[in-house]
Amino acid sequence: MKIHILTLFPDMFAGPFADSIIGRAVDQGLVEIDIYNIRDYTRDKHHVVDDSPYGGGPGMVLKPEPMFEAVEAVKGDGEVPVILLTPQGRLFNQTVAAELAGREEMVLVCGHYEGVDERVRQHLVTDEISIGDYVLSGGEFAAMVVVDAVVRQLPGALGSEESVGDDSHSNGLLEYPQYTRPQSFRGWEVPQILLSGNHAEVERWRRGQSLKRTAERRPDLMERVALSDEDKELMARVEREEI
Ligand SMILES: C[S@@+](CC[C@H](N)C(=O)[O-])C[C@H]1O[C@@H](n2cnc3c(N)ncnc32)[C@H](O)[C@@H]1O
């Protein structure tokens, strides 16, 4: 996969992309991430990237010319998705991350200040993504969130000891509770079932806890999950504290 990121602040990406899963995926050649400074695509002497809004009002708006020049230069003639990070876009979630993880190449465009000239949205980008209903100062953190969630879904990106399969939101539910050593900590015990060695019972317990947790914390998610008869029975057993 190739990800091109257009930004006015390329240095912001150095740390977050150097380590952990993204750093490893880059080292393994699973993903190539190229960062471009939008300012490098200006043609005027002062490398101006923004200007005041027509009609008046506060702040500065990113000019269209460097945005178009930058996107056209990095993507060439190919059918590459051009995604604008914007609080007005479709909401990013695990399903969108999985969808993007299936692409071979994409361009992420980070806005800043008051945002980008509307003609960028109308005639340059092919998709708009928001990472939540709040306003960030720039699209850089949003692009990092998108890249992290997408890259960890690429086959081979996670170590053998990690898996996206049971992650919250991967199967529509929140993940079950996790425990590690010590078995007893300040008098709080690890559930006995996890020590039993009975894999089938452990799986049932985890599924039951996952259902219970989702129902309690995110009833909105439960409405979209197709519950099997076994799921319903499991939830009843969890309620009765049988498992
Ligand atoms: C201060 S915001 C501009 C917000 C714009 N005036 C509006 O109300 O829609 C500057 C830039 O941050 C990025 N941004 C802010 N919030 C975001 C969010 N929730 N998701 C994705 N990008 C966001 C966008 O790239 C945006 O152009």
Side-chain angles (χ1 to χ4, degrees):
M1 172 182 276
K2 251 190 189 175
I3 303 177
H4 310 279
I5 301 178
L6 273 50
T7 171
L8 284 173
F9 300 93
D11 293 346
M12 287 178 71
F13 292 89
F17 284 0
D19 295 316
S20 187
I21 288 163
I22 298 183
R24 202 166 62 199
V26 169
D27 290 344
Q28 288 173 336
L30 297 175
V31 61
E32 179 184 317
I33 305 176
D34 298 316
I35 316 279
Y36 307 85
N37 191 336
I38 296 165
R39 206 173 287 282
D40 292 342
Y41 295 86
T42 50
R43 288 175 183 255
D44 63 303
K45 196 167 83 186
H46 299 292
H47 302 292
V48 176
V49 291
D50 57 353
D51 208 333
S52 49
Y54 274 117
M60 300 294 270
V61 177
L62 293 185
K63 291 163 67 64
E65 308 96 305
M67 289 281 188
F68 274 77
E69 296 252 351
V71 169
E72 285 161 3
V74 304
K75 88 173 178 61
D77 295 332
E79 287 291 302
V80 179
V82 179
I83 303 167
L84 176 68
L85 283 317
T86 162
Q88 302 182 22
R90 61 181 175 135
L91 269 183
F92 189 62
N93 60 23
Q94 193 75 354
T95 307
V96 179
E99 174 198 317
L100 297 182
R103 310 278 187 152
E104 283 178 9
E105 190 170 357
M106 71 184 91
V107 180
L108 300 180
V109 181
C110 305
H112 224 91
Y113 314 121
E114 278 306 311
V116 301
D117 185 286
E118 182 66 4
R119 288 161 291 187
V120 169
R121 199 188 63 72
Q122 288 173 327
H123 304 294
L124 184 64
V125 307
T126 58
D127 196 357
E128 299 173 51
I129 286 180
S130 164
I131 63 159
D133 291 340
Y134 40 79
V135 175
L136 303 164
S137 305
E140 286 73 19
F141 288 119
M144 291 177 209
V145 167
V146 169
V147 169
D148 188 277
V150 168
V151 168
R152 62 180 281 109
Q153 300 223 12
L154 298 179
L158 299 183
S160 56
E161 72 283 6
E162 302 156 305
S163 140
V164 290
D166 288 331
D167 272 348
S168 295
H169 305 293
S170 291
N171 60 4
L173 299 174
L174 303 182
E175 197 183 49
Y176 46 80
Q178 299 273 18
Y179 293 87
T180 187
R181 291 183 182 82
Q183 188 177 325
S184 177
F185 172 66
R186 298 188 176 183
W188 299 309
E189 303 293 329
V190 172
Q192 275 302 314
I193 186 78
L194 297 177
L195 313 171
S196 67
N198 182 334
H199 294 300
E201 269 303 302
V202 168
E203 281 314 305
R204 268 193 288 280
W205 181 87
R206 286 181 164 167
R207 179 79 185 171
Q209 293 295 328
S210 186
L211 289 161
K212 176 174 185 258
R213 184 160 275 208
T214 310
E216 283 171 356
R217 297 180 183 207
R218 294 291 304 274
D220 58 310
L221 295 180
M222 283 309 269
E223 285 166 21
R224 282 177 251 152
V225 176
L227 295 181
S228 65
D229 289 343
E230 194 185 350
D231 284 338
K232 290 176 193 158
E233 170 60 22
L234 272 174
M235 285 185 78
R237 284 179 67 192
V238 171
E239 285 306 321
R240 296 195 297 269
E241 296 188 359
E242 290 174 12
I243 55 172

